[in-house]
Amino acid sequence: MSRYLVWFSCGAPSAVAAKLTVNEHPSAELVYCDTGGEHPDNKRFLKDVERWTGRTVIVLKNPNYEDHFDVAVKERYINGPYGARCTMELKRKLREQYQRPGDVHVWGFHLEEADRAIDFEDRFPDLKCWWPLIEMKITRGDCLALIHRAGIRIPEMYQLGYQNNNCIGCWKGGMGYWNKIRVDFPEHFKRAAEICRDIGRSPIKDSDGKPIMLDELDPKAGRYQSENHIQCGIGCFAVDKALRGDEIL
């Protein structure tokens, strides 16, 4: 029989996707790729989600790298047309090693990320994917509300105003994001800036496409939304019915 693998990221959407999947497929496996660079509060959130779903999360870790910064240092590469190298080393390779033919891969892409799901399937046509949040029209705000209603404190990065619970100092961030990291996590910003100088590359560019070193970034450049929008729409109602085993209308 096919395994259902929920790729849990310690984000609110993947937590809701995990709960929905386990409700429908009790033997589903929750798998988490530990990058080593995420907020320490994620460990608390992971345990809360284990209690909520009744399933133990399987943790995968690449022993060759400490975190996403370590990947940049050792590989002399940050980000490019094909994505961030840390994503490959800390997530994709682990997934490819763990998966088996016939597995159903469950992802926590929410309704606003439907285009990303289409792109993902185009890039990985051999993977059988299930997108429960998109199917049920669950938004990111719905996910935050559902986590709150389950009595679980949302991850610290969300409470600080970040839109995703990625590594602290994600190489995919823009100017506003990095300036927020500069304020909230100055040591992470400093380390990232030093790495950029050391390897001569930067994750951000100006309007002409010219790289901007992080230590040269204007502290007022970019804007990053600093307020969580926790809302509860029709998606929440649908999830409530699904978790009770009622018919979804």
Side-chain angles (χ1 to χ4, degrees):
M1 295 180 62
S2 298
R3 295 185 304 175
Y4 277 77
L5 304 181
V6 182
W7 293 100
F8 177 61
S9 67
C10 274
S14 69
V16 175
K19 179 65 173 175
L20 287 169
T21 304
V22 170
N23 187 70
E24 187 167 336
H25 303 279
S27 63
E29 297 181 15
L30 278 54
V31 190
Y32 170 61
C33 295
D34 181 3
T35 67
E38 297 178 357
H39 196 287
D41 183 59
N42 281 10
K43 294 181 180 179
R44 184 274 310 167
F45 184 69
L46 184 149
K47 292 299 182 183
D48 286 346
V49 171
E50 286 184 329
R51 286 189 285 271
W52 189 36
T53 61
R55 299 290 291 169
T56 298
V57 175
I58 299 166
V59 179
L60 308 180
K61 181 79 168 69
N62 189 331
N64 298 320
Y65 303 98
E66 178 184 347
D67 56 21
H68 61 306
F69 289 152
D70 194 32
V71 173
V73 171
K74 290 179 177 177
E75 303 300 331
R76 314 296 292 177
Y77 188 89
I78 294 177
N79 204 355
Y82 300 102
R85 184 60 181 267
C86 49
T87 300
M88 169 65 75
E89 301 294 341
L90 304 179
K91 293 185 177 182
R92 181 176 171 180
K93 285 187 177 180
L94 298 179
R95 169 178 61 78
E96 291 176 343
Q97 292 169 2
Y98 190 79
Q99 69 189 28
R100 301 174 190 164
D103 286 339
V104 177
H105 299 263
V106 183
W107 308 94
F109 288 22
H110 50 73
L111 183 61
E112 294 97 332
E113 298 177 307
D115 289 343
R116 286 186 61 202
I118 294 173
D119 291 341
F120 185 93
E121 290 188 337
D122 287 341
R123 289 173 55 203
F124 302 101
D126 295 334
L127 293 184
K128 184 177 181 180
C129 299
W130 184 36
W131 314 91
L133 303 183
I134 295 174
E135 285 189 11
M136 297 179 66
K137 295 181 172 55
I138 307 297
T139 67
R140 176 182 178 277
D142 290 335
C143 292
L144 292 172
L146 287 160
I147 293 296
H148 177 74
R149 287 165 58 177
I152 300 174
R153 182 164 56 88
I154 61 175
E156 184 66 20
M157 292 297 280
Y158 289 130
Q159 297 189 54
L160 289 172
Y162 291 89
Q163 297 301 304
N164 295 288
N165 192 17
N166 298 329
C167 295
I168 300 174
C170 176
W171 293 122
K172 299 176 184 178
M175 294 183 187
Y177 168 83
W178 279 105
N179 273 327
K180 182 168 173 56
I181 290 293
R182 189 203 301 259
V183 173
D184 296 336
F185 302 97
E187 290 302 316
H188 286 73
F189 182 88
K190 179 182 178 182
R191 185 182 177 195
E194 291 173 347
I195 291 173
C196 289
R197 279 294 176 188
D198 177 51
I199 66 178
R201 296 185 179 275
S202 175
I204 54 177
K205 299 179 180 180
D206 62 18
S207 58
D208 296 323
K210 181 181 178 181
I212 302 175
M213 288 296 171
L214 289 179
D215 56 13
E216 295 179 340
L217 177 63
D218 181 350
K220 296 182 180 179
R223 290 186 295 176
Y224 193 87
Q225 186 175 352
S226 60
E227 181 179 355
N228 284 318
H229 288 281
I230 299 179
Q231 53 189 327
C232 194
I234 186 65
C236 288
F237 176 71
V239 171
D240 282 343
K241 291 176 71 65
L243 296 181
R244 292 198 308 266
D246 297 339
E247 180 182 0
I248 300 175
L249 302 179

